[in-house]
Amino acid sequence: MLDGYIALLITLVLMVLSLYAIFAILPSISKKRYDPSGKISFKFADVLKNLVNESNPPVKDTRYLEPYESGEVAKGDLGKYVNVQYYIVILLFALFDIDMALLLPWAFDFKYLGLIPFIETLLFLSMPMFAVFYAMKEGYLRWLK
Amino acid sequence: MNVLLRLANFFSPLTHYIAYILAYFFETLFMLIFITISLVAVIYIFRKYMARLQVRRGPNRVGKFGIFQMIADMMKLVQKESILPKKRDDLPYKVAPVVVMLGLFLGFALMPYGSFYYIGSLTVTHSSVSLVLLIAVIAIMPIGEILAGISSHNKYAMVGALRAVAKDVSFEVPMMITILALVMMASGQTSSPLNIDSIASSSRAFIAYGLVQPIGLGVFMISMIARASYSPFDLGESDSELVSGHSTEYTGMRFGIFYVGLFGSIFLGSMMVSTLYLGAYNGPFSGDVGFIYLVIKTWILVLISFTIWLSMPRIRIDKFVNFGWKYLLPASVINLILAGILTLGWSL
């Protein structure tokens, strides 16, 4: 019954393995900043040596690791609070998304159920539509209210 | 006959279970290899096409016509050191590219690929609710971008992630309503209208669903453009204001993953539009060359996407939110009503 989904599982496993290879194993065969004479080597000993970061300790230079600000010295932090302009819009989106999850089983049997559930669904859809209209009239879709 | 049975027959000298395990493994592997080669081709053709539009030559040094340029670029990105910024939140920073890549490839695993000459059907995942799964899977990629934006503790990245959220909430509701209209219309044709394969084969009745739902096709195409976030709607990484949006703090192969994710979502979006609205793999002799039809339609849509990307200016974020909620949403609801009337009244 679930044999149709095996390909998805294999995709998941293969992708995770290949991404591990890309991020951990492939960089370890290449040249390093702290070892400028080193060349690309596929030898097992060299790969192992690079994997444990023996010859390339993590950088200590703090300027190197600062957040990027177009060449300026990064000042301040993001802080705890960020002004989200579209908070109400995101609430509307959550409302609509639950709506869609409820409507998909109806659409599955649409032809069989016929006209009356269709009209009921349109009424059901018109309620969040009215919420969008109300939010628009209140000015929540503008950049600054 | 499908690719699984062919492979199982090929491995049949081994015992039954081992043959099927190998068959499942290799069909998935062939799909992944096809998708990887397609993504490399998408990036190469984009660079050549952009160069031609801007009266340049494009990559032409590595190999004939520069066809090995992408492999050279990948080697460069892999060799580069991934700089891990000091202020990052470690786990989400490292998980974000993985999430983007997983969402992309799971989306490709769910597509129906049609059938090809000797092999038969090339579809790898057989599910009766694959459309719902696809909707769920394509919502994974924005999560990776938001994780990247917030966890790297960069002002540009944070603003980019917030804009990406505002963009995503604006187009996803119209996209869902157009898909709903599609399922409604398919419910008259097939007994399992939530299966993408059934929708694709039932679109033979209308030649293509895009012909009976032109508004739905337009809304869905615009949604796919916005989802891949390229030029008219590249609000998440508007590279002239925010440096590179959510991928500002990423270097090396981690950045390369985001870059591939952008082109991959263009390819996935084109494939979804051509599967759901442009008649998928149907056509004359579709039992033999259906896969070719799907690939040709996908590539035509990819080239149209590139033309849109290279010729449109970026629109402002509040204009896009207005566009999504004031125009796309009513258009998709009108499309839903029209689809209902067509399905019930004319019994299409």
Side-chain angles (χ1 to χ4, degrees):
Chain A
M1 191 184 86
L2 289 174
D3 53 353
Y5 297 95
I6 294 176
L8 274 185
L9 184 70
I10 297 175
T11 311
L12 208 68
V13 173
L14 276 182
M15 285 307 298
V16 169
L17 286 180
S18 61
L19 284 167
Y20 179 74
I22 284 173
F23 287 134
I25 297 171
L26 274 183
S28 68
I29 61 176
S30 68
K31 214 158 89 174
K32 283 289 168 351
R33 198 150 37 90
Y34 286 90
D35 184 19
S37 63
K39 287 176 184 168
I40 295 176
S41 154
F42 289 91
K43 266 189 269 174
F44 183 69
D46 291 345
V47 170
L48 214 59
K49 205 171 120 187
N50 282 327
L51 264 181
V52 296
N53 284 346
E54 183 188 303
S55 56
N56 52 323
V59 277
K60 299 256 172 19
D61 189 353
T62 51
R63 282 174 299 175
Y64 194 68
L65 299 175
E66 271 178 356
Y68 179 77
E69 298 235 344
S70 310
E72 292 285 317
V73 177
K75 277 184 185 170
D77 202 355
L78 276 173
K80 275 183 183 171
Y81 304 106
V82 179
N83 183 18
V84 182
Q85 275 106 347
Y86 295 110
Y87 183 71
I88 301 290
V89 176
I90 291 168
L91 281 183
L92 284 177
F93 168 72
L95 183 72
F96 255 109
D97 233 19
I98 295 166
D99 229 39
M100 289 304 112
L102 293 174
L103 285 181
L104 267 175
W106 160 77
F108 184 86
D109 261 352
F110 173 72
K111 181 78 174 177
Y112 174 73
L113 290 173
L115 186 62
I116 303 299
F118 181 47
I119 294 166
E120 283 171 356
T121 307
L122 289 182
L123 283 175
F124 182 55
L125 259 179
S126 71
M127 286 187 273
M129 289 286 283
F130 175 74
V132 171
F133 179 71
Y134 184 69
M136 196 182 87
K137 279 289 163 199
E138 288 286 308
Y140 283 109
L141 292 180
R142 276 186 236 138
W143 182 249
L144 291 171
K145 198 197 166 199
Chain B
M1 215 58 180
N2 59 19
V3 57
L4 179 74
L5 293 179
R6 290 286 181 200
L7 281 169
N9 278 341
F10 179 76
F11 290 118
S12 58
L14 309 166
T15 54
H16 178 263
Y17 285 108
I18 294 176
Y20 267 89
I21 289 169
L22 285 177
Y24 273 117
F25 181 75
F26 276 97
E27 69 165 0
T28 316
L29 195 66
F30 290 154
M31 187 273 299
L32 288 178
I33 289 171
F34 166 70
I35 295 304
T36 312
I37 291 173
S38 298
L39 294 190
V40 171
V42 167
I43 298 175
Y44 172 72
I45 286 175
F46 170 70
R47 287 179 65 174
K48 274 292 193 191
Y49 190 64
M50 181 168 71
R52 290 293 161 183
L53 284 190
Q54 296 168 350
V55 205
R56 294 187 285 118
R57 279 178 193 276
N60 62 351
R61 294 291 165 187
V62 190
K64 190 78 176 165
F65 306 119
I67 43 174
F68 297 120
Q69 182 68 47
M70 297 308 116
I71 296 166
D73 280 359
M74 204 206 80
M75 290 302 285
K76 182 203 76 175
L77 281 176
V78 162
Q79 279 195 41
K80 276 177 88 169
E81 184 191 10
S82 248
I83 300 171
L84 303 172
K86 192 174 50 181
K87 285 186 177 174
R88 70 185 189 275
D89 297 330
D90 194 56
L91 182 66
Y93 181 85
K94 285 178 177 168
V95 157
V98 180
V99 170
V100 168
M101 209 59 178
L102 275 181
L104 183 66
F105 275 79
L106 287 179
F108 280 117
L110 285 165
M111 300 305 293
Y113 288 101
S115 45
F116 192 63
Y117 170 59
Y118 167 76
I119 308 168
S121 171
L122 293 173
T123 313
V124 290
T125 309
H126 302 281
S127 163
S128 51
V129 289
S130 52
L131 188 62
V132 181
L133 272 176
L134 187 69
I135 295 166
V137 157
I138 65 172
I140 292 178
M141 278 182 72
I143 291 175
E145 290 167 4
I146 292 159
L147 277 181
I150 293 176
S151 68
S152 55
H153 277 269
N154 184 318
K155 289 162 198 162
Y156 297 122
M158 183 73 183
V159 175
L162 287 178
R163 285 192 190 179
V165 173
K167 180 202 72 184
D168 287 336
V169 300
S170 309
F171 75 82
E172 256 188 38
V173 171
M175 186 186 83
M176 293 284 286
I177 293 180
T178 50
I179 287 180
L180 202 68
L182 193 79
V183 174
M184 280 162 56
M185 200 167 256
S187 73
Q189 299 297 321
T190 166
S191 58
S192 58
L194 287 180
N195 186 349
I196 306 176
D197 217 349
S198 307
I199 292 176
S201 35
S202 75
S203 70
R204 199 179 295 129
F206 315 112
I207 301 173
Y209 279 106
L211 289 180
V212 278
Q213 297 185 9
I215 307 173
L217 172 63
V219 171
F220 197 75
M221 186 69 195
I222 290 171
S223 304
M224 284 298 117
I225 291 173
R227 199 183 76 79
S229 73
Y230 53 89
S231 192
F233 310 129
D234 60 344
L235 305 159
E237 43 168 327
S238 33
D239 41 4
S240 51
E241 314 155 23
L242 316 170
V243 180
S244 166
H246 55 80
S247 59
T248 303
E249 288 289 333
Y250 284 86
T251 47
M253 201 55 212
R254 287 178 212 278
F255 169 74
I257 294 286
F258 282 111
Y259 190 70
V260 170
L262 168 63
F263 287 94
S265 53
I266 292 175
F267 196 69
L268 180 62
S270 306
M271 197 175 259
M272 278 173 67
V273 173
S274 51
T275 304
L276 294 176
Y277 282 96
L278 296 182
Y281 43 74
N282 297 309
F285 307 109
S286 62
D288 288 332
V289 288
F291 177 62
I292 305 288
Y293 289 144
L294 182 66
V295 170
I296 289 173
K297 281 169 189 171
T298 306
W299 273 102
I300 289 172
L301 279 176
V302 166
L303 287 179
I304 290 172
S305 309
F306 287 165
T307 316
I308 292 170
W309 183 349
L310 296 168
S311 55
M312 297 280 239
R314 182 184 313 128
I315 68 170
R316 222 167 61 197
I317 175 69
D318 60 327
K319 299 248 180 191
F320 181 67
V321 173
N322 272 334
F323 177 67
W325 290 97
K326 283 186 195 165
Y327 297 102
L328 283 187
L329 182 62
S332 62
V333 171
I334 288 169
N335 179 47
L336 183 99
I337 295 169
L338 284 179
I341 292 170
L342 281 177
T343 311
L344 289 179
W346 278 270
S347 66
L348 275 175

